[in-house]
Amino acid sequence: MIQINYSLSHSLIATNTAATVDLILNFNGEKTTNASARRPLNLSLVIDRSGSMAGQPLRYAIKAAQKLVESLNDQDLLSIIIYDDNADLILPPQPVTDQAAICSKLGKVKAGGCTNLSGGWLLGCEQVKSHLNTEHLNRVLLLTDGQANMGITDASVLTKTAQKQAEQGIITTTLGFGTYFNEDLLIAMADASGGHFYFIQSPDEATDVFRIELESLTSVVAQNLTVILQPESSVELREILNNYRTNALENGLEIFLGDVYEVEAKQLAVQLVIPPQNNLGQLPLLSLNYKYQTIINDSIEQLSGELPITINIGSEAEAQQIQPNQSVFEQTSKLRIAQVKEQAIALADKGDYQKAAEILRSAIQNIQQKLLTEIFEIAEEIEQLEYYAQRFETHNFDSISRKEMRDQSYQTRTRNREDLNLRGINAGDADSLEAVSSFEQGVLVECVREGGKLRVRVISEGYNPEFNVQFPRQIREEGVTYIVEEIQLSANGDFYRASGTIKRLVKPGEERQAGTKKAPKSTNLQAAKAPKSFADLETTDTVGDGVIIQCVKEGSKLRARVVSDGYNPNYNIRFPRDIRAEGVLYVVDEVRESADGKSYVAYGKIRRLVQ
């Protein structure tokens, strides 16, 4: 069952005056006291084990998958697919009765090969379809760290297929891992199928992201929530601020909101334009009709209802005495910022970085004019917008910045969880600060990573260490300690602001003037040279900044190919023959294109990757 409530940015508007009003609708899942009432899962876990996942990424992905398995029970059906060049079913659909055995099977997964995303995902859909049951929640969880470079690679085909799978009752949630995956594709697939998208920014976040998804799945209280908004004849429904699928009707708009969770309200925000009204009193704005499916007495039933939305019309004097609803302004401001981020990304994709920066700075001015900067989440939004604007202006808008912005916009417009909002851990440039090894005045603060976010906390005595510090994003760097000239408490008393000069605290001997950066890593590498034999190769279990190469059998020849993301796996690579062994993964310091642009050359040290 769900409960519905609404809030207006203005509870009363003046007579004879046109008005623009924001409306927030919240659909809340009622809490249940019966833990066993949750819907059983028919779940297929599809894990990318391509060569680029080798080392730490795959280890953490497997660890997260094992934690997920430990949270399931014998009412749940689980299948597991792993994929690189090919897709392999390592666990056919079965009840989760032996968690230890399944975890052991997962623990034996090794990396290698390219990224046949479509092959793995479609095989996962087949497993769910083979046990499709309306009493279950039928889901595919697709994890990938790279571009689809084998199998079906056309994004539009994959997106349309995701929608067709959803029409058959199979929903796909996508999880993008690292910096090379195609976020536009994964978001489109999730949107088309009614699932979720997650950006797993670092390997150790995988467990937390899996936990969030499982927490949502196991708290579904309503499915297929559909809302029809029918404005009164004089009222204009100008804009939907969320990113939900819609269908225009003759006298209104149909909006598909999807699942509603006990742990997370489903939110719908719209903007209404009201023409001048002559009469005082209550004015009907629109009627809301809704329907959804839920479990009642162990069977799925469809419920429906309606809710009239009204506003009060008063005198101009009365309207001036009514303060706007700051909570509504805060929520709709976040949604509009999310839209601006999408617009900025679109401009940057076309190469117009200056215009992208301008619309972000314009958004900052709009926020400041609404006097919302004393709310920490809004103050943090300002830091995010400033950070990205600077990256646009300096042409440093890279792949990870784009993924962060798309993730922030997506989560804001589709979810209602604080732990998914404004995620971003891309390190700033603390090296640009003056670095000192001692101080006599100022306040010490430290940058820490918390749930996919870089936060700053005061570590000097006399301050609340639990309070966040509003701090420039462009100099945040995990683990760094700063000396701030002054720390001020916000007007609402629940966070701090850093002001004045900011320096970096370092060990003796590491002092530097402001603007003096560390010496860059040398790139003067020689073409890779091999030891005398395969047995003499140095081994490593981490990839770091290296590039992964794999040897594969093609006819009677052993061919070396690059399997790290961002490279063409069909190119030949100049690689020592004496150390080639089928299926083995190697790590080299660097790979460059040859002079003719048709092949690669390996540079630096060659090591064998052990898993």
Side-chain angles (χ1 to χ4, degrees), residues 245 262 395 404 427 432 576 584:
R245 188 163 56 91
E262 182 182 306
H395 288 207
E404 284 186 355
S432 63
V584 170

Side-chain angles (χ1 to χ4, degrees), residues 552-559 582:
V552 295
K553 198 77 175 284
E554 287 190 353
S556 60
K557 298 179 180 179
L558 273 179
R559 177 196 166 197
E582 184 178 2

Side-chain angles (χ1 to χ4, degrees), residues 129-368:
K129 189 180 299 182
S130 68
H131 291 76
L132 202 61
N133 185 336
T134 56
E135 301 295 324
H136 285 62
L137 293 172
N138 304 289
R139 297 288 191 277
V140 176
L141 266 58
L142 170 65
L143 184 149
T144 184
D145 80 322
Q147 303 278 342
N149 53 25
M150 297 193 75
I152 301 170
T153 59
D154 189 303
S156 62
V157 173
L158 289 168
T159 301
K160 289 178 182 177
T161 306
Q163 183 173 346
K164 289 181 179 178
Q165 294 290 343
E167 290 169 358
Q168 299 177 53
I170 302 169
I171 293 175
T172 297
T173 283
T174 58
L175 303 97
F177 204 115
T179 61
Y180 283 104
F181 68 88
N182 183 342
E183 62 271 24
D184 294 340
L185 169 63
L186 296 193
I187 289 174
M189 289 177 67
D191 283 344
S193 69
H196 297 141
F197 162 77
Y198 298 95
F199 175 25
I200 303 177
Q201 303 168 88
S202 64
D204 57 346
E205 284 185 52
T207 299
D208 195 44
V209 171
F210 270 63
R211 175 192 59 78
I212 291 171
E213 177 63 10
L214 187 63
E215 192 175 89
S216 299
L217 285 175
T218 55
S219 67
V220 172
V221 294
Q223 283 188 282
N224 302 316
L225 172 62
T226 302
V227 169
I228 294 178
L229 299 181
Q230 296 176 300
E232 295 297 322
S233 57
S234 62
V235 177
E236 177 191 353
L237 178 57
R238 174 166 291 179
E239 185 180 18
I240 302 293
L241 300 179
N242 304 91
N243 187 26
Y244 299 130
R245 188 163 56 91
T246 61
N247 178 36
L249 304 175
E250 184 176 347
N251 59 343
L253 189 67
E254 185 176 31
I255 307 168
F256 304 94
L257 281 76
D259 294 341
V260 180
Y261 312 106
E262 182 182 306
V263 297
E264 175 186 347
K266 183 72 72 171
Q267 186 183 84
L268 174 61
V270 303
Q271 185 184 70
L272 303 172
V273 178
I274 308 168
Q277 300 295 315
N278 299 322
N279 300 321
L280 299 178
Q282 199 171 68
L283 173 72
L285 292 177
L286 54 82
S287 62
L288 179 151
N289 293 276
Y290 61 90
K291 61 182 179 180
Y292 62 90
Q293 287 89 46
T294 190
I295 294 179
I296 298 178
N297 297 325
D298 297 325
S299 66
I300 298 178
E301 295 189 17
Q302 179 162 296
L303 301 182
S304 61
E306 59 181 322
L307 178 70
I309 309 294
T310 63
I311 194 170
N312 293 315
I313 308 296
S315 66
E316 185 174 345
E318 289 176 315
Q320 290 176 348
Q321 293 178 357
I322 300 296
Q323 293 297 316
N325 187 321
Q326 286 294 98
S327 176
V328 172
F329 269 134
E330 177 187 346
Q331 294 175 74
T332 55
S333 292
K334 291 177 182 178
L335 289 164
R336 290 190 169 97
I337 291 169
Q339 291 178 322
V340 169
K341 288 177 182 175
E342 292 290 341
Q343 295 165 10
I345 290 170
L347 288 166
D349 287 346
K350 296 176 182 177
D352 196 346
Y353 295 104
Q354 187 58 42
K355 182 64 175 178
E358 288 174 4
I359 65 170
L360 294 186
R361 295 200 188 282
S362 176
I364 293 174
Q365 293 177 356
N366 289 337
I367 295 170
Q368 292 169 336

Side-chain angles (χ1 to χ4, degrees), residues 521-527 590 592 603-604:
K521 182 180 177 182
S522 175
T523 58
N524 187 24
L525 297 173
Q526 300 297 315
E590 190 175 329
R592 303 175 191 169
Y603 284 82

